[in-house]
Amino acid sequence: MVELNGRQKAAVLLVSLGPELSAQIYRHLRDEEIEVLTREIANTGSVRAAVRDEVFNEFYEMYLAREYVEQGGIDYARELLEKALGAARAEAILARLVSTMKARPFSFARKTDPNQLLNFIQNEHPQTIALILAYLNPEQAGMILSALPPETQVDVAKRIAMLDRTTPEILKEIEETLEKRLSAFAIEDYTMAGGIDAAVEILSLVDRATEKTILDALEEEDPELAEAILKRMFVFEDIITLDDRAIQKVLREIDTRDLALALKTASEEVAARIYKNMSKRAADMLKEDIEYMGPVRLRDIEEAQQKIVATIRRLEEAGEIIISRGGEDEIVV
């Protein structure tokens, strides 16, 4: 295979994954990263199957290695990789991994019981708590956020959403302090954490009462931030997580024109769930409306999808439908 640099490999991977999956990956990148990758993709011609397969294999091996390092450190990763791929291949992968990345901060904290972490950080400044939660697994962070006093929950959630970059000096100081108090091992890293996506992921895993308390308070304190979080708490594509009865209820509440617009760019899975919960005649008419709609501005599609999402949230608030939340043990009878 022709030797490729990191950007070229990333471009090959995204081209091979296709536009839908690549778009999902783009959402997690910074603007400058998107610009560099897009330029590289534009310069990428047809990709031979052998090149694609080799890039996929390398990506998978690096992914496995990173997961193993996160779970138990370099020695643990080396042991598992040697069993799976042999000693020489394992060493080559780890060498490449170590040269291109460091483990995220607070790796020791991600292996600690949330209740124990809560005892150590609950009296810290909300900014410190927000920084630590942003680096934890969402499940851990959600449990800790739920256990904080209501006024602290709101403050911490707001600070998580507004986090961007943190200087290495501050990260190191907080990490070392917590490390000493927990008597654990920490691996340095200075990466981005926090932001609205982190706040949404954590809030999606807290109980409904905690979520409502935080969001209601945020709407009063910072309406724009609250709206940005709400837009991502339940996106249009998440409609597939609703049961059929709930989808049918939603369909009765929304305008057909909005539904046609919303489905214009929806995935096949979403469209299939919608059509499944309509009569054959209504589904055929909706498909015709979409087919003869012609070009539509993306902004209009997004507005239609947001209207439907707003309807879903309104119905949930009224107790007429249930949105499943991964962090809750919900029993529906």
Side-chain angles (χ1 to χ4, degrees):
M1 181 178 102
V2 177
E3 190 67 27
L4 302 178
N5 61 35
R7 290 195 301 273
Q8 290 170 328
K9 290 176 183 177
V12 168
L13 181 66
L14 291 173
V15 168
S16 301
L17 288 175
E20 190 170 327
L21 288 175
S22 296
Q24 295 181 35
I25 294 172
Y26 263 27
R27 293 173 191 160
H28 300 279
L29 301 179
R30 298 191 298 274
D31 289 344
E32 57 269 27
E33 293 172 330
I34 292 174
E35 182 181 344
V36 169
L37 271 178
T38 302
R39 188 183 305 119
E40 196 66 53
I41 290 172
N43 292 328
T44 300
S46 58
V47 179
R48 290 186 292 114
V51 174
R52 180 200 61 208
D53 292 345
E54 191 160 342
V55 168
F56 273 154
N57 287 337
E58 181 178 335
F59 171 78
Y60 178 66
E61 290 170 350
M62 293 288 282
Y63 169 80
L64 280 183
R66 181 167 185 161
E67 285 291 297
Y68 294 156
V69 169
E70 287 281 332
Q71 292 170 17
I74 292 291
D75 291 337
Y76 175 74
R78 180 179 289 108
E79 180 182 352
L80 293 184
L81 289 171
E82 284 181 355
K83 289 180 180 178
L85 305 171
R89 187 64 177 159
E91 283 301 324
I93 293 169
L94 286 174
R96 190 162 63 247
L97 181 67
V98 170
S99 69
T100 57
M101 64 162 281
K102 299 177 182 178
R104 284 168 58 83
F106 301 103
S107 61
F108 64 89
R110 291 192 292 279
K111 302 171 190 174
T112 305
D113 180 80
N115 293 319
Q116 185 181 4
L117 277 175
L118 175 65
N119 292 332
F120 281 101
I121 69 174
Q122 60 185 343
N123 295 320
E124 296 289 341
H125 189 280
Q127 185 69 16
T128 301
I129 298 175
L131 180 62
I132 294 171
L133 294 192
Y135 279 102
L136 297 181
N137 296 321
E139 292 82 2
Q140 288 178 299
M143 292 176 65
I144 293 172
L145 187 61
S146 296
L148 294 172
E151 62 276 10
T152 307
Q153 291 174 346
V154 176
D155 196 3
V156 169
K158 181 177 179 179
R159 290 171 185 271
I160 292 173
M162 299 182 73
L163 276 173
D164 186 8
R165 291 176 182 271
T166 304
T167 64
E169 293 78 14
I170 293 175
L171 266 180
K172 184 173 183 179
E173 180 181 349
I174 296 174
E175 192 177 19
E176 287 182 350
T177 300
L178 189 59
E179 176 188 7
K180 290 175 183 177
R181 295 170 68 182
L182 289 172
S183 299
F185 178 73
I187 303 174
E188 288 187 352
D189 177 47
Y190 310 114
T191 59
M192 290 186 65
I196 290 176
D197 287 338
V200 168
E201 194 169 12
I202 292 172
L203 285 172
S204 297
L205 293 166
V206 303
D207 59 89
R208 183 68 181 97
T210 299
E211 177 197 310
K212 190 175 188 306
T213 298
I214 293 172
L215 291 175
D216 286 349
L218 279 178
E219 283 180 349
E220 292 185 11
E221 294 181 17
D222 194 332
E224 289 186 5
L225 178 61
E227 183 181 359
I229 291 175
L230 276 169
K231 283 182 177 178
R232 303 185 193 182
M233 287 293 292
F234 185 97
V235 298
F236 180 72
E237 295 285 326
D238 291 335
I239 200 169
I240 60 175
T241 64
L242 301 178
D243 61 31
D244 289 342
R245 187 197 66 82
I247 293 177
Q248 291 162 17
K249 177 67 178 176
V250 172
L251 291 176
R252 289 196 293 270
E253 298 285 328
I254 59 179
D255 183 79
T256 303
R257 168 69 179 175
D258 286 335
L259 182 58
L261 276 171
L263 289 178
K264 184 77 173 175
T265 60
S267 68
E268 292 182 6
E269 187 177 8
V270 169
R273 284 298 303 278
I274 295 294
Y275 295 142
K276 173 189 173 186
N277 285 283
M278 303 174 71
S279 68
K280 185 178 185 306
R281 180 173 178 275
D284 289 341
M285 290 177 63
L286 181 59
K287 291 175 184 177
E288 285 184 10
D289 288 344
I290 296 171
E291 183 179 353
Y292 292 110
M293 188 176 292
V296 180
R297 291 183 304 179
L298 183 60
R299 184 176 64 187
D300 293 336
I301 294 173
E302 291 175 347
E303 286 179 359
Q305 291 179 348
Q306 284 301 323
K307 284 182 184 179
I308 295 173
V309 168
T311 299
I312 291 171
R313 292 192 63 85
R314 175 175 58 78
L315 291 173
E316 188 205 20
E317 288 287 343
E320 297 186 42
I321 65 173
I322 293 173
I323 296 176
S324 175
R325 285 174 169 75
E328 299 179 12
D329 294 324
E330 293 180 327
I331 300 177
V332 182
V333 295

